Amino acid sequence: MGEVYYVGVDVGTASVRAALVTRAGLIKSTAEEPISIWEPQSDHYRVTQSVERSQVRGIGFDATCSLVVLDQSFQPVPVCQDGDRQRNVVMWMDHRAEEQAARITSTGHRVLSRVGGVMSPEMQPPKLLWLKEVRGSMTCSPGIPLGDGLTQEAAADLGLEPGTAVGASVIDAHAGGLGVIGADVKGFHLPCEDQPITSRMAMICGTSTCHMAISEQPLFVPGVWGPCLSAMVPAMWLNEGGQSATGRLIEHMVKGHAAYTQLQEEARQRVPFTGVNIYSYLNSHLSSMASSRVTVDLLASSLHVWPDFHGNRSPLADPTLKGMVIGLPLSQTLDDLALLYLATVQALALGTLHILEAMKEAGHDIRTLFLCGGLSKNALFVQIHANATGLPVVLPDQMEAVLIGAAILGACASQDYSTIQEAMKGMAKVGKVVQPDYKLQSFYERKYKVFLRLFAHQREYQALMNQR
């Protein structure tokens, strides 16, 4: 039998991406199209042009947890006042339904125990209630083959064979989890080796970050979504924590600083022909600021950030929380920008620790972090997550792990793999392991205490200002 392939399609926040993936989990080719906030463009058939149609055995899809509104004829229904039918998607990060989410939470309904006790405005029920008030099923496990595969019309559009297997889809973050969490770790000397897969947590780090932990029995974690059976790995319970703004927050802090123009210019001068990533430049700049006797992490000892500029998804489940920065000087130099960037990354890592602590208290035993997504390509972000949590971090061999996860769905639907678990082990690979610097344990224990006090102080200030 010759080489066979699977197509993974990831419908993200800013773009739609597709990858042609081998049975061993290697990406042969990719394609990407930007998404307009109003009008998605998803012409991805060209990713398969380098192979014969018959070699493509299955297709898997994932997408953001956004709400797509269609009528009974599967035609778009507008969700805005101007009546534009192209505007039929309420994005996952849309918080217009905060009031509806609060009302749902106030019912105290038992189903709220499946979402951490608090209904988030980023979930579908409050969005649906908002649509009902303002604008006047059946499920299957991930990777299950749908119908008879591609219809004649769909196959013609995609340039593939009719009947090509299509797997039941998942949310994009769940696809990222499938693309990393089941990798074979033998020989890497990790604490999760020879332990069940439940000792691992997948983090999908991009515009936002999702924290995926699975268990054999349902575990209820206050402020964390789930437990949901077979939402990511069939027959396993999923708890999903998250931070609503991570990559978006880092960009907000860096681009909003007075020294951002200077940063861009110095980055261009350093590598004028390659357009060096500004975050790689900032990481290098921080290293130059640290002497041989001082670790980069310690530079932010007196600068602290509470990162919930877009509310807290987990574990506090409070969309009304705001961001905080303590320790700003009057100066606005490039050094000041670098330190603010560092403190922001540390705050996001401490937010992950906050989620881990809540999961641990509920019964999870997480020993290793598996990261993927855009932020996993940032070496400082990865190292600080290892340092702040005290856990080793595994990075995937194929950096586009979300696309690998989507391809796993297609591989399972094609029945080339008998289960999702088998497909994960065959297609997800370990690329690099980042160990924590245990000499920084005391520093991050103190930093975490400050982190928790920032939240307590914000609540205290809110209570004072709400007094009559």
Side-chain angles (χ1 to χ4, degrees):
M1 179 178 177
E3 183 69 273
V4 297
Y5 300 93
Y6 315 100
V7 176
V9 181
D10 169 40
V11 183
T13 300
S15 66
V16 180
R17 302 177 303 152
L20 190 66
V21 182
T22 70
R23 195 176 194 278
L26 300 177
I27 294 178
K28 179 177 175 63
S29 62
T30 62
E32 182 171 359
E33 291 287 344
I35 291 179
S36 162
I37 283 291
W38 304 120
E39 190 172 352
Q41 302 172 11
S42 54
D43 180 13
H44 276 295
Y45 68 90
R46 68 175 181 272
V47 77
T48 62
Q49 286 186 344
S50 61
V51 300
E52 294 293 327
R53 294 183 179 188
S54 61
Q55 292 179 279
V56 179
R57 299 270 297 157
I59 306 176
F61 292 83
D62 69 77
T64 62
C65 192
S66 299
L67 182 66
V68 181
V69 185
L70 305 173
D71 63 19
Q72 291 181 335
S73 300
F74 297 100
Q75 297 303 306
V77 175
V79 296
C80 51
Q81 293 183 350
D82 65 9
D84 186 343
R85 294 175 66 86
Q86 295 297 325
R87 304 181 182 185
N88 71 315
V89 179
V90 182
M91 288 187 68
W92 66 268
M93 64 174 65
D94 194 311
H95 278 203
R96 74 181 74 182
E98 284 188 2
E99 190 270 334
Q100 286 79 8
R103 271 194 283 136
I104 293 173
T105 298
S106 69
T107 66
H109 195 282
R110 64 181 184 276
V111 76
L112 291 168
S113 66
R114 300 287 180 169
V115 293
V118 179
M119 181 62 68
S120 167
E122 295 176 10
M123 302 192 81
Q124 310 302 356
K127 288 181 168 67
L128 289 167
L129 183 57
W130 181 90
L131 285 170
K132 177 182 178 181
E133 294 178 344
V134 179
R135 301 298 303 152
S137 71
M138 183 176 177
T139 63
C140 53
S141 294
I144 293 294
L146 298 176
D148 297 320
L150 288 179
T151 64
Q152 291 281 351
E153 181 181 4
D157 287 342
L158 294 172
L160 296 174
E161 295 286 349
T164 300
V166 178
S169 61
V170 295
I171 294 170
D172 56 348
H174 298 177
L178 294 177
V180 294
I181 202 169
D184 185 353
V185 299
K186 290 189 183 303
F188 288 93
H189 309 293
L190 290 164
C192 66
E193 187 173 346
D194 298 324
Q195 298 295 320
I197 196 173
T198 54
S199 64
R200 310 176 184 190
M201 184 168 80
M203 289 178 55
I204 294 75
C205 317
T207 304
S208 62
T209 294
C210 297
H211 303 73
M212 308 292 180
I214 54 178
S215 58
E216 294 180 354
Q217 299 298 325
L219 297 176
F220 294 84
V221 187
V224 171
W225 298 348
C228 300
L229 182 62
S230 299
M232 185 173 78
V233 179
M236 302 290 284
W237 295 87
L238 174 69
N239 284 114
E240 179 180 345
Q243 295 163 302
S244 294
T246 49
R248 186 182 180 196
L249 176 63
I250 293 172
E251 182 178 285
H252 172 77
M253 300 295 257
V254 170
K255 291 187 175 180
H257 197 278
Y260 177 63
T261 301
Q262 180 187 353
L263 168 65
Q264 287 181 299
E265 183 59 31
E266 293 200 13
R268 276 195 296 265
Q269 290 177 2
R270 179 173 174 177
V271 190
F273 301 108
T274 62
V276 64
N277 181 289
I278 60 171
Y279 300 109
S280 297
Y281 182 84
L282 279 173
N283 295 350
S284 177
H285 187 79
L286 284 166
S287 295
S288 68
M289 290 173 62
S291 69
S292 58
R293 294 173 296 176
V294 178
T295 305
V296 165
D297 305 55
L298 302 180
L299 294 174
S301 295
S302 59
L303 185 59
H304 308 284
V305 174
W306 179 260
D308 292 329
F309 285 57
H310 196 54
N312 182 283
R313 186 187 300 172
S314 304
L316 303 173
D318 186 349
T320 69
L321 287 175
K322 307 299 181 186
M324 302 170 71
V325 183
I326 304 296
L328 288 173
L330 190 60
S331 58
Q332 292 184 314
T333 66
L334 183 56
D335 284 0
D336 294 317
L337 169 53
L339 290 176
L340 182 60
Y341 160 68
L342 171 61
T344 301
V345 173
Q346 289 177 331
L348 294 172
L350 292 171
T352 290
L353 177 60
H354 201 192
I355 293 168
L356 280 167
E357 291 289 325
M359 288 186 170
K360 180 179 178 180
E361 189 172 341
H364 283 284
D365 181 21
I366 307 297
R367 304 186 185 189
T368 308
L369 303 180
F370 288 70
L371 268 61
C372 67
L375 284 177
S376 70
K377 301 171 187 177
N378 183 324
L380 184 75
F381 181 89
V382 173
Q383 186 63 63
I384 286 180
H385 268 76
N387 294 345
T389 63
L391 298 176
V393 173
V394 175
L395 299 176
D397 175 61
Q398 303 289 303
M399 292 307 294
E400 301 296 348
V402 174
L403 292 172
I404 295 293
I408 284 172
L409 299 173
C412 193
S414 74
Q415 300 182 349
D416 288 344
Y417 286 100
S418 59
T419 64
I420 287 287
Q421 288 87 334
E422 182 187 3
M424 286 194 298
K425 189 172 183 180
M427 297 176 69
K429 303 287 193 304
V430 175
K432 181 181 180 181
V433 174
V434 177
Q435 295 288 349
D437 184 347
Y438 293 108
K439 297 191 296 294
L440 293 169
Q441 181 177 351
S442 174
F443 168 76
Y444 277 108
E445 286 175 351
R446 288 176 280 124
K447 189 91 170 170
Y448 187 52
K449 289 178 181 178
V450 174
F451 179 83
L452 295 179
R453 289 189 184 185
L454 288 175
F455 157 67
H457 289 169
Q458 182 170 160
R459 284 275 172 87
E460 182 182 343
Y461 303 153
Q462 288 173 337
L464 284 171
M465 296 309 297
N466 289 337
Q467 290 179 359
R468 295 289 186 266

